[in-house]
């Protein structure tokens, strides 16, 4: 019996069973190991909700090598719909989704190829509802951003510190024409601060921010800000994920082949495309000019993240891109802004973080 209980304890802490229902129920039982008697633990197990009992049964089946029966239990526990704002994450990276309506910040991790919410924090967002349009409108922007760096030793209103986000990003500035600045994820020294009371920032209690700080990787962790979470079925999620990864691979291959066929590469960019130096025309001119000097190009993509906005209109792919050619080499933190035009994916913007 002790061996089985120890196994449950081990799996809980090292296999990331971190959703809120689990941690409020089965975790309590685990915390009482060695403290309460077997009879008391048995009564606690009997009082667990049905879903928690299924999880306990699943662990025991896995321990007993009853894999077929474990698969049946696992199927019962698998959600019919999943949060689809996070599509691709590297194994060692978390994603963040902020629901402005409920004012909850979700921490997401990929497990078995699907996004799973592993932590939730209450947060505070802007005083006014709706998407941010400009400087001083007291709204929290909706979109996909990245924490650029960590700041501390700030005025008390920011609590223990802050992560400035890259708002306004490329599309905000050049297509949506949104201005403003200083959108941060930060703390607060006031534990009783009311909801919807920030000037546009995302505010967490200091203890929660301290936990979140250890889960954020600057310029890598995607922060998706929405009015409400987006959901999809497993089949829809798998198909969308497959399409987007295939498009990234198609873009990579076309870039590598651009010294021989630059038109295929350029066809992947939308007519509204923007970059730091201008529009699609300046991009085409720039690419044709530098590609003339290339004999070969080799692209390596790693650390890929793909996220989407609330309406599914915009997707953001961020990656570590290693570029090699006969006359140039570089490593960049590349960001592509992608949307679907009819049945074709197109790149709407491209920048480096």
């Amino acid at each position: 019996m002790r061996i089985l209980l120890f196994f449950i304890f081990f799996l809980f802490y090292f296999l990331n069973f971190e959703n809120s229902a689990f941690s409020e129920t089965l975790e309590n039982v685990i915390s009482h190991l060695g403290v309460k008697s077997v009879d008391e633990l048995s009564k606690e197990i009997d009082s667990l909700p049905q879903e928690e009992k299924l999880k306990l049964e699943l662990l025991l089946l896995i321990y007993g090598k009853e894999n077929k029966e474990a698969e049946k239990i696992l199927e019962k526990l698998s959600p019919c719909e999943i949060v689809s704002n996070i599509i691709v994450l590297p194994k060692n990276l978390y994603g963040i989704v902020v629901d402005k309506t409920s004012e909850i910040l979700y921490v997401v991790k990929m497990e078995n190829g699907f996004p799973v919410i592993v932590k939730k924090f209450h947060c505070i967002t802007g005083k006014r509802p709706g998407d941010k349009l400009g400087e001083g409108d007291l709204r929290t922007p909706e979109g996909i951003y990245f924490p650029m760096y960590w700041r501390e030793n700030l005025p008390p209103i920011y609590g223990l510190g802050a992560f400035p986000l890259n708002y306004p990003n490329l599309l905000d500035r050049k297509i949506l024409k949104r201005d403003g600045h200083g959108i941060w994820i930060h703390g607060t020294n006031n534990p009783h601060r009311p909801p919807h009371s920030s000037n546009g920032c995302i505010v967490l209690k200091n203890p929660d921010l301290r936990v979140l700080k250890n889960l954020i990787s600057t310029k890598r962790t995607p922060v998706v800000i929405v009015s409400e979470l987006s959901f999809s079925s497993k089949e829809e999620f798998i198909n969308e994920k497959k399409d987007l990864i295939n498009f990234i691979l198609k873009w990579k291959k076309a870039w590598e082949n651009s010294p021989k066929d630059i038109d295929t590469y350029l066809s992947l960019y939308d007519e509204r495309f923007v970059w730091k130096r201008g529009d699609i025309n300046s991009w085409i001119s720039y690419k044709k000019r530098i590609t003339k000097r290339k004999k070969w190009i080799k692209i390596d993509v790693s650390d890929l993240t793909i996220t989407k906005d609330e309406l599914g209109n915009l997707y953001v792919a961020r990656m570590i891109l290693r570029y090699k050619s006969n006359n140039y080499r570089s490593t960049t933190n590349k960001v592509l802004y992608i949307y679907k035009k009819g049945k074709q994916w197109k790149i709407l913007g491209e920048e480096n973080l």
Side-chain angles (χ1 to χ4, degrees):
M1 180 69 178
R2 288 185 177 181
I3 294 175
L4 290 179
L5 291 174
F6 175 79
F7 176 73
I8 295 169
F9 176 85
F10 176 86
L11 283 179
F12 174 77
Y13 281 100
F14 291 91
L15 297 183
N16 294 313
F17 284 92
E18 296 180 274
N19 63 58
S20 58
F22 188 99
S23 59
E24 291 171 2
T25 53
L26 191 51
E27 182 182 9
N28 293 336
V29 177
I30 292 171
S31 68
H32 295 152
L33 297 178
V35 177
K36 293 189 176 183
S37 68
V38 171
D39 287 341
E40 289 172 320
L41 289 170
S42 179
K43 290 178 181 178
E44 286 193 359
I45 291 172
D46 287 340
S47 66
L48 289 175
Q50 181 60 28
E51 184 175 344
E52 302 305 296
K53 290 179 181 177
L54 285 173
K55 291 173 182 175
L56 178 57
E57 184 180 352
L58 175 63
L59 294 176
L60 294 172
L61 287 170
I62 293 172
Y63 178 75
K65 308 296 184 182
E66 299 288 341
N67 292 344
K68 289 185 178 180
E69 293 301 316
E71 288 289 347
K72 294 179 183 179
I73 299 294
L74 189 60
E75 187 66 28
K76 292 181 182 179
L77 290 171
S78 299
C80 295
E81 289 190 323
I82 56 177
V83 176
S84 57
N85 298 103
I86 305 290
I87 299 173
V88 176
L89 283 176
K91 185 177 180 180
N92 64 341
L93 193 69
Y94 295 92
I96 293 172
V97 183
V98 177
D99 185 321
K100 289 169 47 177
T101 301
S102 62
E103 292 197 303
I104 295 178
L105 184 152
Y106 298 90
V107 179
V108 177
K109 190 174 183 180
M110 300 301 289
E111 294 185 3
N112 299 317
F114 294 98
V116 175
I117 295 171
V118 295
K119 289 187 183 296
K120 302 178 185 178
F121 301 102
H122 288 287
C123 64
I124 297 166
T125 57
K127 295 173 184 175
R128 296 181 63 190
D131 198 1
K132 188 171 186 64
L133 300 175
E135 180 78 30
D137 65 6
L138 306 179
R139 295 185 175 102
T140 300
E142 296 171 15
I144 301 165
Y145 302 98
F146 296 90
M148 299 303 288
Y149 51 89
W150 169 253
R151 290 189 64 179
E152 51 189 23
N153 299 320
L154 294 164
I157 191 175
Y158 298 107
L160 66 89
F163 286 102
L165 301 180
N166 66 322
Y167 175 88
N169 63 27
L170 179 70
L171 295 196
D172 291 325
R173 298 190 309 270
K174 291 185 173 285
I175 292 183
L176 299 176
K177 307 299 181 184
R178 300 202 293 189
D179 59 8
H181 67 283
I183 302 299
W184 296 358
I185 298 175
H186 68 78
T188 177
N189 289 340
N190 178 8
H192 306 294
R193 186 167 172 174
H196 299 292
S197 62
S198 84
N199 291 335
C201 291
I202 299 159
V203 182
L204 284 79
K205 294 179 181 178
N206 282 337
D208 291 340
L209 181 60
R210 188 171 286 111
V211 174
L212 184 65
K213 179 176 181 289
N214 293 325
L215 305 178
I216 287 179
S217 177
T218 56
K219 297 186 179 182
R220 294 178 66 227
T221 298
V223 178
V224 185
I225 307 173
V226 295
S227 61
E228 294 182 351
L229 300 183
S230 296
F231 294 90
S232 66
S233 68
K234 282 190 172 182
E235 183 179 0
E236 291 170 336
F237 179 85
I238 290 171
N239 289 336
E240 187 173 57
K241 179 178 179 179
K242 180 181 177 181
D243 283 351
L244 284 158
I245 291 175
N246 284 340
F247 177 74
I248 297 296
L249 294 175
K250 180 180 179 181
W251 167 77
K252 170 186 176 294
K253 183 178 179 180
W255 193 358
E256 290 177 325
N257 290 338
S258 61
K260 297 178 181 178
D261 174 19
I262 195 168
D263 290 337
T264 298
Y265 169 70
L266 293 174
S267 71
L268 303 179
Y269 291 81
D270 190 73
E271 64 268 15
R272 296 179 297 157
F273 174 81
V274 291
W275 63 309
K276 65 180 180 180
R277 299 184 192 176
D279 59 11
I280 185 64
N281 293 322
S282 62
W283 177 256
I284 291 173
S285 176
Y286 166 73
K287 280 295 182 177
K288 286 186 174 180
R289 186 177 70 252
I290 65 170
T291 303
K292 285 181 180 179
R293 302 193 296 268
K294 307 297 180 184
K295 296 179 181 178
W296 56 268
I297 294 174
K298 178 65 178 175
I299 306 294
D300 179 68
V301 170
S302 62
D303 201 50
L304 177 66
T305 69
I306 303 177
T307 51
K308 74 173 179 180
D309 68 4
E310 180 177 351
L311 299 176
N313 292 330
L314 180 69
Y315 300 76
V316 175
R318 185 216 55 86
M319 68 201 79
I320 301 298
L321 190 142
R322 293 176 176 84
Y323 174 97
K324 295 180 182 179
S325 71
N326 55 289
N327 60 3
Y328 186 72
R329 295 190 178 195
S330 68
T331 300
T332 55
N333 197 10
K334 177 74 69 179
V335 177
L336 299 179
Y337 298 90
I338 304 167
Y339 85 114
K340 200 165 191 178
K341 185 177 182 180
K343 295 184 179 181
Q344 293 184 325
W345 296 99
K346 293 285 186 177
I347 300 171
L348 196 56
E350 183 172 330
E351 67 177 339
N352 298 326
L353 288 183

